[in-house]
């Protein structure tokens, strides 16, 4: 006998879980009315078994998709000092990630958000890299 179940809730993908772990999933910010979709999202585990999310957002700049809009959408602070991207973040994401970016000074434990602006492109263009760990 076969049993079929239908759920109204779609199954979460690893990319969805990575966004949730980082606190950047669209359902975590419903009042904003908009959200950004990561260009790359990887969910992994650390050596001690804790979940680790690695995300890359490509912000095109221009009229609406800007650095300031991204920060406002996710209630993130303005960038702080430069910092090196963690080696595991660079290794987990496909492509050639930069060595460093501007680290956002935030109080959320286990999350690092790096911003790499592209001043020669459209106004507000940037890449955002996120590493977040869970319990």
């Amino acid at each position: 006998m076969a049993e079929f179940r239908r759920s109204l809730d779609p199954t979460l993908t690893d990319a969805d879980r990575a966004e949730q772990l980082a606190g950047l999933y669209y359902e975590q910010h419903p009042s904003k009315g908009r959200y950004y979709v990561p260009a790359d999202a990887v969910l992994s585990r650390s050596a001690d078994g804790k979940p680790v999310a690695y995300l890359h957002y490509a912000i095109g700049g221009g009229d609406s998709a800007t650095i300031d809009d991204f920060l406002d959408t996710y209630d993130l602070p303005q960038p702080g000092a430069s910092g090196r991207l963690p080696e595991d973040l660079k290794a987990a994401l496909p492509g050639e990630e930069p060595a460093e970016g501007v680290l956002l000074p935030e109080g959320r434990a286990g999350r690092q958000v790096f911003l790499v602006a592209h001043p020669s492109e459209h106004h507000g263009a940037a890449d955002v890299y996120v590493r977040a760990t869970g319990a």
Side-chain angles (χ1 to χ4, degrees), residues 5-105:
R5 293 183 184 200
R6 185 168 189 199
S7 173
L8 297 177
D9 295 327
T11 303
L12 292 177
T13 65
D14 281 350
D16 294 332
R17 288 184 189 95
E19 285 183 272
Q20 283 180 331
L21 183 61
L24 302 174
Y25 193 57
Y26 74 95
E27 289 180 346
Q28 293 168 311
H29 303 272
S31 66
K32 297 299 180 170
R34 63 181 289 134
Y35 60 94
Y36 287 79
V37 177
D40 299 300
V42 176
L43 183 64
S44 186
R45 295 221 173 257
S46 63
D48 62 1
K50 292 181 181 175
V52 183
Y54 305 99
L55 301 161
H56 167 227
Y57 294 87
I59 302 171
D63 293 334
S64 61
T66 65
I67 296 167
D68 288 335
D69 182 66
F70 182 89
L71 297 176
D72 181 59
T73 297
Y74 297 109
D75 299 317
L76 296 169
Q78 289 295 314
S82 293
R84 296 193 59 75
L85 271 68
E87 290 300 319
D88 62 331
L89 183 145
K90 293 189 303 184
L93 295 173
E96 293 185 29
E97 278 60 52
E100 62 182 46
V102 179
L103 182 62
L104 275 60

Side-chain angles (χ1 to χ4, degrees), residues 102-122:
V102 179
L103 182 62
L104 275 60
E106 59 171 317
R108 183 178 169 138
R111 180 171 74 178
Q112 296 172 294
V113 180
F114 296 88
L115 181 70
V116 179
H118 300 293
S120 63
E121 295 178 19
H122 299 293

